């Protein structure tokens, strides 16, 4: 037996469908609003500037490479300082999610006892020490924490 809808039932179905569409649209707009807020937060974090201080101590360092704020977060430009006097200290301004990086380099084959530090707002956020600190100190950006 075929099911027949009255004009009144069609009106109720259209009303329900419109109500569902309106709810879906409202939820979509809410999600868009949250997504826009997240994008704004990332944009702000990417452009936010912060300062870190690098410290290197030890002996027999031929060169120190460090991120000084140039380049991008994904590909920071490293600056080289040859034959630094130790202990060495440098404060730089970085942006956003750019990782603070300092790498002492020694070619002394007998080993050099080196220490490197990254300091943010008076607190050490990364430290490494040992003979020929090969990897240096690479910290996570403190922005957004």
């Amino acid at each position: 037996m075929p099911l027949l809808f009255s004009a009144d039932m069609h009106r109720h179905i259209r009303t329900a469908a419109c109500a569902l569409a309106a709810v879906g649209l409202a939820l979509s707009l809410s999600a868009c609003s949250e997504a826009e807020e997240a994008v704004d937060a990332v944009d702000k974090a990417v452009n936010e500037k912060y300062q870190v201080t690098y410290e290197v101590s030890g002996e027999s360092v031929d060169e120190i490479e460090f991120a000084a704020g140039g380049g991008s977060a994904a590909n920071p430009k490293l600056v080289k300082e040859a034959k630094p006097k130790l202990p060495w200290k440098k404060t730089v301004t970085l942006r956003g999610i750019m990782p603070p990086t300092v790498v002492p380099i020694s070619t002394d084959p007998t080993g050099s006892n080196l220490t490197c530090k990254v300091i943010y707002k008076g607190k050490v956020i990364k430290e490494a020490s040992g003979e020929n600190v090969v990897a240096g100190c690479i910290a996570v950006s403190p922005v957004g924490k």
Side-chain angles (χ1 to χ4, degrees), residues 5-70:
F5 291 108
S6 68
D8 200 36
M9 288 183 79
H10 282 288
R11 188 171 37 252
H12 288 299
I13 291 171
R14 279 194 305 265
T15 302
C18 288
L20 284 174
V23 168
L25 180 59
L27 290 174
S28 296
L29 291 175
S30 173
C32 287
S33 175
E34 290 173 11
E36 285 177 20
E37 288 175 15
V39 168
D40 289 345
V42 169
D43 283 345
K44 181 181 176 191
V46 168
N47 291 318
E48 184 177 338
K49 292 183 179 182
Y50 66 97
Q51 285 191 328
V52 293
T53 299
Y54 302 129
E55 292 182 1
V56 175
S57 59
E59 53 194 48
S60 300
V61 172
D62 298 303
E63 184 176 90
I64 296 174
E65 290 187 344
F66 59 97

Side-chain angles (χ1 to χ4, degrees), residues 83-94:
K83 299 289 182 191
K85 182 181 176 195
L86 299 179
W88 178 86
K89 186 176 187 177
K90 182 88 165 179
T91 300
V92 298
T93 301
L94 303 175

Side-chain angles (χ1 to χ4, degrees), residues 58-63 86 105-108 110-114 132:
E59 53 194 48
S60 300
V61 172
D62 298 303
E63 184 176 90
L86 299 179
I105 300 169
S106 175
T107 55
D108 185 352
T110 62
S112 299
N113 191 21
L114 301 173
N132 297 323

